[in-house]
Amino acid sequence: MIAIIDSGVANLRSVQKGFECVEADARIVEDPLTLRDASGIVLPGVGAFADGISKLRDGGFVEPLLRAIEEGKPVLGICLGLHFLFSESEEFGHHAGLNVIKGRVVRFTNNLPVPPFRKGGVGGFLKIPHMGWNRIRIEQQAPIFKGIPDGGFFYFVHSYYVQPEDESVIAATTEYGPRFTSVLWRDNLFACQFHPEKSQALGLQLLKNFASLT
């Protein structure tokens, strides 16, 4: 069973339905003790960092989640779930994260010029938040990329992105003004900035790949 952590700040049912589409047994869990017996763990999240990390701590999920990562259990962070893994976030102030990955969560700067190849933007500037389809550039072949081509498109919705201190954890990048980390991989730990459950065939392939590791 893959445990989807109910952090209170995500559309959990859509994540669960994504796993159902690839015939994986994924269940939304409210009891942190269930993480002990899960074969894999998904940490989703949308919205504000401070609210999400507080609900994660108040729900008692932090310690069993960190233990599962340390023990080598496959873990997948999605969107805000990626941000939670970092040392700190500058979203609406400075807030401590789980510090699993050394680094920061920072905001896209305003007035990023629209590159010649991209349509849209307002007055020649990129819109913030970064919302919609964008491609990934695979930097290293993580196990969750099986069957996923370099340059594949995924669905993003975010105003903040991660800056890992150790670039060896970067599995894929995406360009939106700066080139930022869109997929992270370290041993049994995976996390993506985009929403695989909203990314059609390639997103489902990523969920299937993760499920195969559990």
Side-chain angles (χ1 to χ4, degrees):
M1 183 270 293
I2 298 171
I4 302 172
I5 293 177
D6 184 355
S7 61
V9 288
N11 187 350
L12 303 173
R13 179 59 185 144
S14 65
V15 176
Q16 185 181 35
K17 286 178 66 176
F19 279 106
E20 288 176 355
C21 288
V22 297
E23 300 181 342
D25 179 15
R27 306 174 194 176
I28 299 167
V29 300
E30 298 179 353
D31 182 356
L33 294 179
T34 58
L35 301 188
R36 179 183 55 193
D37 299 321
S39 58
I41 299 171
V42 177
L43 177 61
V46 295
F49 182 95
D51 290 343
I53 201 75
S54 293
K55 290 178 179 177
L56 203 63
R57 290 190 172 110
D58 292 345
F61 281 106
V62 171
E63 185 178 341
L65 174 62
L66 295 179
R67 187 183 307 117
I69 294 172
E70 185 176 346
E71 291 174 350
K73 188 170 293 188
V75 172
L76 173 65
I78 297 176
C79 195
L80 191 59
L82 163 65
H83 297 184
F84 291 153
L85 298 171
F86 277 70
S87 306
E88 62 176 339
S89 172
E90 66 173 32
E91 185 176 359
F92 302 116
H94 289 275
H95 307 280
L98 300 179
N99 202 33
V100 176
I101 302 295
K102 300 291 184 183
R104 303 173 64 235
V105 181
V106 301
R107 192 183 190 279
F108 286 109
T109 58
N110 294 322
N111 301 328
L112 292 170
V114 177
F117 59 84
R118 179 179 291 278
K119 297 180 181 179
V122 179
F125 298 109
L126 293 172
K127 296 178 182 178
I128 307 299
H130 171 213
M131 181 180 299
W133 295 90
N134 205 344
R135 66 174 71 240
I136 66 169
R137 182 172 76 187
I138 295 176
E139 307 292 351
Q140 53 176 324
Q141 283 293 337
I144 56 172
F145 288 150
K146 181 179 179 180
I148 294 176
D150 188 25
F153 280 85
F154 292 84
Y155 190 80
F156 293 81
V157 183
H158 64 120
S159 299
Y160 292 79
Y161 62 96
V162 298
Q163 291 182 327
E165 292 181 6
D166 180 4
E167 294 186 356
S168 70
V169 303
I170 300 173
T173 57
T174 295
E175 186 174 346
Y176 195 74
R179 180 163 291 279
F180 64 90
T181 300
S182 50
V183 183
L184 174 152
W185 170 39
R186 189 182 71 188
D187 302 324
N188 55 303
L189 180 62
F190 307 87
C192 52
Q193 181 63 73
F194 51 78
H195 288 270
E197 75 280 7
K198 297 180 180 179
S199 298
Q200 300 183 3
L202 291 185
L204 293 180
Q205 181 64 46
L206 187 143
L207 295 180
K208 181 179 181 180
N209 292 340
F210 176 75
S212 73
L213 300 174
T214 65

